Amino acid sequence: MRYSGFRVIWEALTGHKGWTPAWRDPAPQSDYDIIIVGGGGHGLATAYYLAKEFQQARIAVLEKGWIGGGNVGRNTTIVRSNYMLPGNEPFYEFSMKLWEGLEQDFNYNAMVSQRGVLNLYHTDAQRDAYTRRGNAMRLYGVDAELLGRDQVRAMYPFLNFDNARFPIKGGLLQRRGGTVRHDAVAWGYARGADQRGVDIIQNCEVTGFRITDGRIAGVETSRGYIGAKKVGVAVAGASSRVMAHAGMRLPIESHVLQAFVSEGLKPLIDGVITYGAGHFYVSQSDKGGLVFGGDIDGYNSYAQRGNLPVVEDVCEGGMSLMPNIGRARLLRMWGGIMDMSMDGSPIIDRTDVDGLYFNGGWCYGGFKATPASGYCFAHLLARDTPHPTATAYRFDRFRKGLMIDEKGMGAQPNLH
Amino acid sequence: MIINHPLLGPRDAQEFTYLGDANLLNRPNPDAPDAAERFYEYLYLRDNPAGLHRELWYHEQGDRSWLVVTRNTLTHEITKVELARDVARAAQAAGESA
C-alpha cells in the first residue's frame, strides 16, 4: 500500500477499514543470502538499501526483541553534519542528503524537520575553533554560518547571555540540521524493506555464529539455525556481546547515556541548541516537550538506565544556559547503551571471518548517521568494498595509528 | 552507586573518577618482541562484559587511592572492592604481570 494524502482522505471517508499492517511477520526460512543481525535503525536501513539500491534478494533482518526498541527509539532525534575531519564530514553530509530525500524515498512520514542546529561558543578560543570547523564544513560544500552574539540573541533572546563565567559570544549554525521523528525512521525503513521482500524476524536472538574454515555458514538463533552466505552485524550497544560469539574482542566499551523530556510547554525553542560550556543539548518536540540530554554516565553499563548524579549535571547545564526552564517539570528520563569506540568514531568493516561484516561503535552519534550507515553497510555487504564516504571506518585504524579523533576522547570518561 | 572503600567505608561514587577495565593494571612488557601487538591489545581492545566487570576507580575527592571494583554492568550492583595496590602486588607475586 502506498501512503498519500488521497489515501488518508479516502480512509477517513470509509471508516479506516482499508489499512493493512506496515510489514509482515514471517517465519524464518532455512537460509538467506544476507542476514542482518539487529533490527534497529541501522540494520533496517541496511536491509532497505540492500534491496532497493543494490538489488539484493533473500535478505532477513533478525531482531532480539521488537524492531526499533533500542537506541533508535531512545535518542534525542538530532540530525546534523557539522563534523570537521576528512574521514567524517563527507560521510555525515552523505547522511544529511539522504535525510533530505528520505520521506519521498521510502514513502513514510518521518517528520524530517530542518530547523537548524546552533552550537554556542563562550570564549574567543572556542570561536576560533568553531570558525575552523565551519570553514572545514564549507570546504566540503556543507552549510555553516558563524553567528555573533546579536544574531544569536535575535534567535533565542531568553538564553543566559551575560553569565559571568560563560557568557554567550555567538554560535555556529547549520541551518540544514534539525530533528527527525526517530521511531518513524525505524518503521519507515522496516516497511520499505518489507515491501521489497526482506523478511523482518522479531523475537529472534542470535546466540552464535556457525563458522566453517574461516567462512560464515549461518547463525544460531533462539528460533533455530539459519544459513547465510553473508552476515552483517548492526547491534550497537550490544556489539561486544554479539561479536564475542565469533571470538572477537572489539575496541569498544558499552556505556549508558541518559535522555530527558520535560512536560509539554508552549513553543519556546524552534531549533536545536547545544551548550558550548557544558554538555547539554536541547530541542522542543512537536508535542511541546523539551527533549534534552548531556553526558554519558561514565562507567561500563548494559543497564539501559543511569544514575542521578548525571541527571543533576545535565539539569545544571540546562539551568545555566536557559534559566527560564527552572520551573518546568521533568516528565520522563531513560537510558540507552552506547558503543563507545576508542577514538569516538564508528566502524563499518569486514572482519577476520569471511562473509561476516560489522557495523558499530557509533558512540552517542548514531542516529544522525542512520541513512548513510545503512547505505554504506549495504554497499560493503553487496560489493565487498567500502563506500567512498566510509573508507576510514576500519578496524585496523587503531593498530595503525590512524584514529579519527574528531574530539579525541572516545570511551575515556574523564576526557568528556 | 555507593562504593564500599576498604579503608574509608561506604563512599558516594561521585567522589571517584572511573578509568575502565582492571586489565589496564597488566601493562605489557615494552621490551617483549611482540610489544607493539600487545600494546595495541592492551590499549584498544576490551572484553566489555555484560555481567561482572572488574574495573578501576580513583578516589579523587578522597584519599587518592586506586580501587579495583567488581560491579555488575547489568544491574550496577557492586560486589567487591579492593585496593588496586593489593591486586597489583598479588598479581606480581603470582607472576601474572607481563
Side-chain angles (χ1 to χ4, degrees):
Chain A
M1 178 194 288
R2 195 170 165 74
Y3 294 155
S4 65
F6 172 76
R7 169 65 76 171
V8 171
I9 294 165
W10 175 257
E11 291 295 338
L13 296 174
T14 55
H16 290 289
K17 294 193 178 96
W19 299 115
T20 54
W23 53 83
R24 298 165 295 132
D25 184 21
Q29 296 174 26
S30 62
D31 66 290
Y32 290 93
D33 283 357
I34 301 176
I35 285 178
I36 307 296
V37 184
H42 292 224
L44 293 165
T46 305
Y48 173 78
Y49 289 117
L50 272 171
K52 179 168 181 287
E53 302 293 336
F54 297 95
Q55 287 79 44
Q56 302 293 312
R58 303 185 70 248
I59 304 164
V61 176
L62 309 184
E63 165 55 44
K64 176 175 73 169
W66 62 93
I67 59 167
N71 291 338
V72 73
R74 291 170 176 268
N75 55 72
T76 46
T77 79
I78 298 165
V79 299
R80 57 186 174 86
S81 60
N82 52 3
Y83 283 71
M84 188 172 79
L85 296 181
N88 274 334
E89 182 57 10
F91 173 83
Y92 286 102
E93 177 55 15
F94 179 48
S95 202
M96 198 68 231
K97 290 209 171 86
L98 289 171
W99 283 121
E100 287 173 329
L102 185 66
E103 293 164 305
Q104 301 304 318
D105 190 62
F106 66 18
N107 180 233
Y108 201 90
N109 181 9
M111 295 166 64
V112 176
S113 168
Q114 294 182 286
R115 52 182 71 183
V117 173
L118 178 66
N119 300 146
L120 298 173
Y121 61 79
H122 308 267
T123 63
D124 290 351
Q126 206 172 16
R127 181 200 57 214
D128 293 349
Y130 280 7
T131 307
R132 182 175 174 222
R133 191 201 295 193
N135 285 338
M137 290 163 64
R138 292 173 74 120
L139 283 172
Y140 287 107
V142 182
D143 67 309
E145 288 171 52
L146 195 73
L147 305 185
R149 179 186 166 92
D150 292 341
Q151 290 166 290
V152 173
R153 196 187 280 274
M155 291 172 74
Y156 300 111
F158 52 81
L159 295 180
N160 192 4
F161 284 87
D162 299 313
N163 182 302
R165 178 67 182 84
F166 298 114
I168 294 168
K169 297 202 160 191
L172 182 67
L173 176 66
Q174 185 185 21
R175 290 192 192 275
R176 286 163 63 241
T179 60
V180 180
R181 168 85 173 94
H182 53 185
D183 296 312
V185 175
W187 299 333
Y189 275 125
R191 175 170 166 273
D194 180 84
Q195 284 175 343
R196 289 165 179 83
V198 174
D199 281 358
I200 297 168
I201 301 161
Q202 304 183 70
N203 299 312
C204 180
E205 180 175 1
V206 169
T207 54
F209 297 105
R210 197 174 287 183
I211 298 164
T212 47
D213 300 329
R215 200 183 155 75
I216 196 87
V219 293
E220 308 282 355
T221 76
S222 54
R223 295 174 69 170
Y225 173 76
I226 306 174
K229 294 191 180 112
K230 290 179 179 176
V231 175
V233 176
V235 294
S239 293
S240 296
R241 299 173 80 175
V242 172
M243 296 311 281
H245 295 314
M248 288 182 68
R249 290 175 82 214
L250 303 180
I252 285 171
E253 288 181 6
S254 294
H255 286 251
V256 60
L257 175 68
Q258 303 190 65
F260 311 83
V261 64
S262 77
E263 61 187 325
L265 304 171
K266 295 215 170 169
L268 175 67
I269 301 169
D270 60 0
V272 178
I273 307 172
T274 76
Y275 187 29
H279 208 150
F280 178 80
Y281 38 90
V282 61
S283 65
Q284 189 167 20
S285 78
D286 292 354
K287 282 193 287 188
L290 299 179
V291 182
F292 57 96
D295 221 339
I296 55 174
D297 269 41
Y299 45 80
N300 287 43
S301 174
Y302 284 94
Q304 286 193 328
R305 59 183 169 76
N307 276 307
L308 290 170
V310 168
V311 178
E312 189 177 17
D313 183 62
V314 171
C315 292
E316 280 172 357
M319 281 298 289
S320 66
L321 176 66
M322 33 196 296
N324 54 343
I325 62 171
R327 301 296 292 273
R329 279 164 295 192
L330 206 56
L331 191 64
R332 286 183 291 126
M333 56 202 230
W334 61 94
I337 303 305
M338 311 289 116
D339 268 11
M340 297 305 294
S341 70
M342 290 295 145
D343 62 355
S345 296
I347 296 161
I348 304 176
D349 201 1
R350 287 176 285 254
T351 67
D352 294 337
V353 178
D354 275 349
L356 180 62
Y357 301 80
F358 177 77
N359 175 334
W362 290 98
C363 299
Y364 32 66
F367 178 67
K368 73 176 90 68
T370 305
S373 164
Y375 198 102
C376 294
F377 199 35
H379 187 285
L380 182 69
L381 278 159
R383 305 208 174 141
D384 242 358
T385 54
H387 188 270
T389 63
T391 51
Y393 297 150
R394 301 165 58 104
F395 270 116
D396 65 4
R397 68 174 187 263
F398 299 100
R399 182 177 267 126
K400 293 182 172 172
L402 300 173
M403 268 76 79
I404 312 167
D405 46 355
E406 184 80 33
K407 283 183 164 176
M409 48 198 193
Q412 197 82 351
N414 55 348
L415 296 181
H416 282 261
Chain B
M1 290 189 293
I2 303 287
I3 295 175
N4 196 4
H5 194 296
L7 304 177
L8 304 175
R11 313 295 299 197
D12 194 315
Q14 276 292 89
E15 296 176 7
F16 295 78
T17 56
Y18 177 84
L19 184 64
D21 196 313
N23 268 332
L24 293 168
L25 286 173
N26 304 323
R27 193 183 172 87
N29 179 1
D31 297 326
D34 58 347
E37 180 65 22
R38 293 180 67 176
F39 265 98
Y40 156 70
E41 291 179 4
Y42 168 82
L43 271 175
Y44 296 118
L45 301 187
R46 300 283 188 272
D47 287 338
N48 194 20
L52 289 185
H53 187 229
R54 294 180 78 234
E55 54 202 19
L56 290 165
W57 292 75
Y58 176 56
H59 200 190
E60 188 174 31
Q61 308 293 325
D63 71 343
R64 307 267 173 114
S65 58
W66 282 94
L67 304 181
V68 174
V69 175
T70 306
R71 189 177 56 93
N72 190 324
T73 57
L74 289 163
T75 62
H76 299 162
E77 186 194 5
I78 293 169
T79 47
K80 193 174 179 186
V81 184
E82 304 151 273
L83 286 173
R85 183 182 60 195
D86 295 345
V87 173
R89 280 185 181 155
Q92 217 165 22
E96 273 177 30
S97 61

